[in-house]
Amino acid sequence: MTVRNATGDDGPAISDLMIRAAPHFDTKGYPEQLLPPGMVVLVAEEDGRVVGWLEAVLDWAHTGPGAPTPPPHGYVLAVVVDPDWRRRGIGCALLDRFVEEARQAGVRWVFLLPEGGEGVAGRLAFFRAAGFTPLAVADDPLPPMGRWTGPVAVGDARP
């Protein structure tokens, strides 16, 4: 499996993956081979086929309580893996690659907002396995989850 930055040529395959594995997502410009400007778009490819996709930004700010370090923060908007290819490390590989890109860009912490609904327990377990921990936010049954991009400095709050 290869994880790489997406190109415009990946647009139709990303759109197809979204329709099959996450039909509630807006396919945006992907069918027209346009990648969203200002976003990190990664794909996981196996035997020439896109089997995973991640969309994120490097210059976001978690505005809710609990951010352990000042912005900029990386923000994972979506990570999707083909249902036939799940539980093979593809989602973790996509997240690891984004965390590494964030680290190289000088971003110290990345976060995501877990989606509720059917399958939420599995998604939460997956994010925990990928190194994300819930922020200590009172009264939030589905709190944001974050991950450091490198070593935690003395004085940094732990999520």
Side-chain angles (χ1 to χ4, degrees), residues 17-26 53 80 86:
L17 175 63
M18 291 167 68
I19 290 166
R20 286 183 296 105
H24 58 288
F25 285 163
D26 178 2
W53 159 79
V80 175
R86 290 183 182 158

Side-chain angles (χ1 to χ4, degrees), residues 45-69:
E45 189 176 56
E46 183 70 41
D47 296 327
R49 179 176 173 217
V50 171
V51 295
W53 159 79
L54 177 139
E55 185 176 274
V57 293
L58 292 170
D59 59 353
W60 207 258
H62 174 63
T63 57
T69 189

Side-chain angles (χ1 to χ4, degrees), residues 93-147:
L94 286 162
L95 288 166
D96 287 346
R97 171 70 181 266
F98 174 66
V99 168
E100 178 58 21
E101 287 194 21
R103 187 193 65 73
Q104 289 179 8
V107 174
R108 299 184 57 227
W109 183 74
V110 301
F111 75 103
L112 54 84
L113 300 173
E115 184 177 313
E118 185 178 335
V120 68
R123 282 189 294 281
L124 292 173
F126 161 66
F127 292 134
R128 283 187 186 102
F132 286 79
T133 57
L135 293 179
V137 179
D139 300 327
D140 190 344
L142 204 57
M145 299 179 79
R147 178 176 161 184

